[in-house]
Amino acid sequence: MRKVLVIGAGGQIGTELVMRLGDKLGTENVIAADVKSECPLGLKGSQYVELDALDRDKVRSFIINEKITEVYLLAALLSATAEKNPDFAWRLNMEGLFTILDLAKEGYIKKIFWPSSIAVFGPTTPRKDTPQRTTMEPTTVYGISKQAGERWCEYYHQKHGVDVRSIRYPGLISYTSLPGGGTTDYAVDIFYQAKLGNHFTCFLEKDTRLPMMFMEDAIRATIELMEAPIEQIKIRSSYNLSGCDFTPAEIAREIEKHIPTFHISYQPDFRQAIADSWPGSIDDSEAREDWGWKEIYKLPDLVKVMLENVDVHLLT
Ligand code: AKB
């Protein structure tokens, strides 16, 4: 009997993950939690509870009382926001993780999903086809917190047998909710401006290549990883995962095929330095070998589906 709690469910990943888990396990077995008192719009129809990932006592008693077996811990500040609020980012990104790892160590939770990111890499990492194991010297608060989190996940697995599983997500592209505070957010914003017929000013340079993934692939990967037999999970820090990679100029050219009047210009801000420190493409051969990962969406399909589905009303 599985009973799942998704913490930080109101964000870009959570809203889609809760829906998919509900379809799979039944909505009575999936609880969405977020810090807001009102259930976020994207989670309507699911069981919702107000839960602050930093409120250790409340999180503990909720999980124990509700007999939760699996936790997806998504609450975090992303790269750009974290640079503006480093103390809070470190607290949120680390303390919530310890609460959940400890509950698993004590036997209350059977399985944990915790997202890492390509932000664990840094300027000294090889940028092209970045391997699973390589130099990792992240230069952002977010990247440092994700790298530390990865080490703790592996530690709790090795020392305490905790079944924690993780993916280093690339930039995620989706249309059901807006991303918040990431360096890869331009690749979502661009679709709303294109659909509105607006000129798009990109905060990254035209040739900045970054790894990206369509949300449907990311959710499928998350569920496949969590459902893989335990003996197939050989990496307990976090798996590299690749969908596609592109530059702002390349995505703009693809959008122009559908909207010939679309126009983009470039005005890099502080996020350029963050993007410059990250890989341009990822080698995910270990995820492919260990649990059979394979992406579906490449840039042309992703652009087509996004343009068909983005709803500009989400912006209001
Ligand atoms: C961000 O841009 O901060 C995130 C990420 C790559 O983890 N989308």
Side-chain angles (χ1 to χ4, degrees):
M1 181 63 190
R2 288 168 72 184
K3 191 148 186 207
V4 172
L5 176 67
V6 182
I7 301 178
Q12 196 196 5
I13 303 172
T15 45
E16 298 214 20
L17 186 62
V18 167
M19 216 155 56
R20 285 290 301 282
L21 287 171
D23 291 344
K24 258 188 112 51
L25 307 175
T27 46
E28 68 283 9
N29 295 315
V30 180
I31 303 173
D34 209 295
V35 72
K36 296 190 180 84
S37 54
E38 288 260 314
C39 175
L41 221 65
L43 293 171
K44 289 277 182 263
S46 38
Q47 295 189 68
Y48 180 76
V49 60
E50 177 188 349
L51 210 52
D52 178 353
L54 287 175
D55 190 341
R56 187 175 166 96
D57 291 342
K58 197 169 166 198
V59 171
R60 278 186 69 86
S61 54
F62 185 83
I63 287 175
I64 295 169
N65 293 338
E66 292 294 323
K67 300 191 170 41
I68 300 294
T69 61
E70 247 169 76
V71 174
Y72 292 73
L73 176 60
L74 308 178
L77 282 202
L78 297 184
S79 56
T81 320
E83 288 308 299
K84 295 193 168 148
N85 203 344
D87 296 353
F88 179 66
W90 180 255
R91 274 191 66 217
L92 179 63
N93 295 5
M94 299 307 301
E95 285 179 23
L97 176 60
F98 282 118
T99 302
I100 303 304
L101 287 172
D102 285 338
L103 280 162
K105 171 183 152 187
E106 292 163 39
Y108 290 110
I109 305 170
K110 305 269 168 293
K111 227 187 254 185
I112 300 170
F113 178 80
W114 176 79
S116 186
S117 160
I118 54 159
V120 292
F121 299 114
T124 51
T125 300
R127 284 206 88 227
K128 191 170 178 307
D129 298 330
T130 301
Q132 176 70 41
R133 291 173 195 79
T134 183
T135 308
M136 291 163 86
E137 296 180 321
T139 49
T140 62
V141 176
Y142 175 63
I144 296 168
S145 73
K146 287 296 177 187
Q147 190 192 35
E150 285 192 8
R151 302 322 311 151
W152 281 112
C153 287
E154 187 160 312
Y155 182 88
Y156 270 71
H157 175 72
Q158 281 177 358
K159 298 277 176 201
H160 306 299
V162 169
D163 188 356
V164 54
R165 305 178 181 201
S166 177
I167 284 171
R168 290 174 181 154
Y169 287 130
L172 298 179
I173 320 280
S174 65
Y175 55 81
T176 54
S177 66
L178 297 169
T183 301
T184 56
D185 291 9
Y186 90 86
V188 178
D189 301 340
I190 195 169
F191 290 104
Y192 289 89
Q193 300 313 321
K195 252 213 145 147
L196 284 165
N198 290 345
H199 172 95
F200 181 65
T201 308
C202 183
F203 59 72
L204 296 183
E205 292 279 16
K206 66 177 192 308
D207 294 326
T208 307
R209 180 171 301 282
L210 286 171
M212 302 279 185
M213 183 175 283
F214 188 51
M215 188 61 87
E216 203 175 300
D217 272 346
I219 299 294
R220 186 171 50 81
T222 306
I223 292 175
E224 283 174 8
L225 173 69
M226 287 297 272
E227 292 190 344
I230 198 156
E231 62 279 5
Q232 288 181 8
I233 310 301
K234 307 210 172 104
I235 292 172
R236 294 298 185 156
S237 51
S238 191
Y239 274 98
N240 271 11
L241 203 72
S242 170
C244 54
D245 52 84
F246 52 79
T247 66
E250 285 168 358
I251 190 173
R253 267 201 301 278
E254 200 57 43
I255 290 174
E256 276 167 33
K257 290 182 189 166
H258 302 263
I259 305 176
T261 51
F262 177 65
H263 194 252
I264 185 169
S265 61
Y266 304 92
Q267 217 170 290
D269 65 15
F270 73 101
R271 290 167 281 194
Q272 184 64 46
I274 300 178
D276 286 342
S277 76
W278 288 352
S281 59
I282 296 287
D283 175 352
D284 62 357
S285 40
E286 303 213 24
R288 289 171 196 267
E289 275 157 34
D290 291 358
W291 44 278
W293 162 247
K294 181 151 181 36
E295 81 289 349
I296 292 176
Y297 287 87
K298 292 295 185 192
L299 181 61
D301 326 296
L302 182 157
V303 167
K304 186 167 176 291
V305 179
M306 284 297 287
L307 286 175
E308 280 165 6
N309 288 286
V310 283
D311 176 0
V312 295
H313 295 106
L314 264 190
L315 295 177
T316 53

